Amino acid sequence: MTIALACEILTQIAKNKKKVSKASNKVKKDLLSLGQMYSSKIEDEDFYEELITDVDFRDRSLLKIITDQEFEPLMDENDPKAENIMMSIYQGKETTRCDGNIKGFSSIYHVITSKPKKLGANDKSYFKFLTNHFEANYDFDYSYQYRYRAALFNFIFMKEFVCALAILIIFQYVSYKYLNLFNIDSMSSLSDTEKKLKITENLETYKNYNLLAFLFSFSLVAQFLMRLLFNSCTKTKKMPVDIWIIIDTITGLLYITSIFVISNLDADTFLDTKKKDYVDYFVLLVLLASWVRFFSFFLIIRDISKLLLTLVAMVTDTLAFIVIIS
């Protein structure tokens, strides 16, 4: 904990004091190497877990500090202790005692699969009759089971991935239609009056393609609104507004805006070269946001995310060289 807090302070000093940033980063690197060496020498996994879950004066665990500040050497992925504790936190403490059977907690499953029982003379509870004498099995089953949680995560990821692919295909198709319908160069043989009539006709055609795209875009915004509604009404833990839902909301708002903007333009705007260029740039921005949203799903896949992050780092490092050469 002391090494992590010291490295955090050195990070802030390096950001705010440019004169000593190099020295601060060097000291931080040495401290992280020292922490990595210390962690590798620990053999007692219980002590290691206690060390990682220790909290500071701001009620932050050492694991959270390492994650937020990207102090990877303090939990080296090659260290089996670090991997074991992460799997233990993810799967849950009771996962080894789980028998993989959830029907003991499901009243509906019990009603559907069990034979009805005759009410006894002293049984006057309508609820018992309705649930067929259901009682949760607390002796063997556990309600929060890793087996079902992992399967649920996999289902949610596949659902979101398929929906993102469908939205991308629809956006790509509508953008392709935009390029074809409002290609001024293809109308060069027409007179100005004929161009205006043609563009007006194409605008009506373009509106027909936007209905499905609008529904998908509104669904992205609707999930954000539903989360806000849930957070305003719940009395328990609120759902966080994470980076994923922010990306979805921005993408949805961009496309809804593009639909209303393009649908309300007149023919004179498309005939004006400068204004037409601005509209083209906006459509390109919307399409780029859709592609970024789609490729962000690959960051969840461990092997592909490493490749993408490495590629981004390589491009970033060589960006100055590319600018100079060009």
Side-chain angles (χ1 to χ4, degrees), residues 102-117 119 125-138 141:
I102 203 169
K103 63 183 180 182
F105 279 100
S106 176
S107 176
I108 295 177
Y109 187 91
H110 175 78
V111 172
I112 293 174
T113 58
S114 302
K115 294 181 179 180
K117 299 178 181 179
L119 290 175
S125 172
Y126 178 73
F127 184 75
K128 282 189 176 182
F129 167 74
L130 190 65
T131 60
N132 193 18
H133 294 78
F134 171 77
E135 292 183 1
N137 184 355
Y138 293 105
D141 296 343

Side-chain angles (χ1 to χ4, degrees), residues 179 181-188 195 199 270-271 276:
L179 292 175
L181 293 173
F182 304 110
N183 187 359
I184 306 301
D185 294 336
S186 63
M187 306 178 189
S188 57
K195 286 181 180 179
I199 291 173
F270 288 97
L271 292 174
K276 175 66 165 52

Side-chain angles (χ1 to χ4, degrees), residues 33-48:
S33 299
L34 177 63
Q36 183 179 15
M37 186 183 301
Y38 175 72
S39 298
S40 64
K41 298 297 183 182
I42 299 176
E43 297 181 357
D44 188 352
E45 291 201 6
D46 292 334
F47 174 73
Y48 183 79

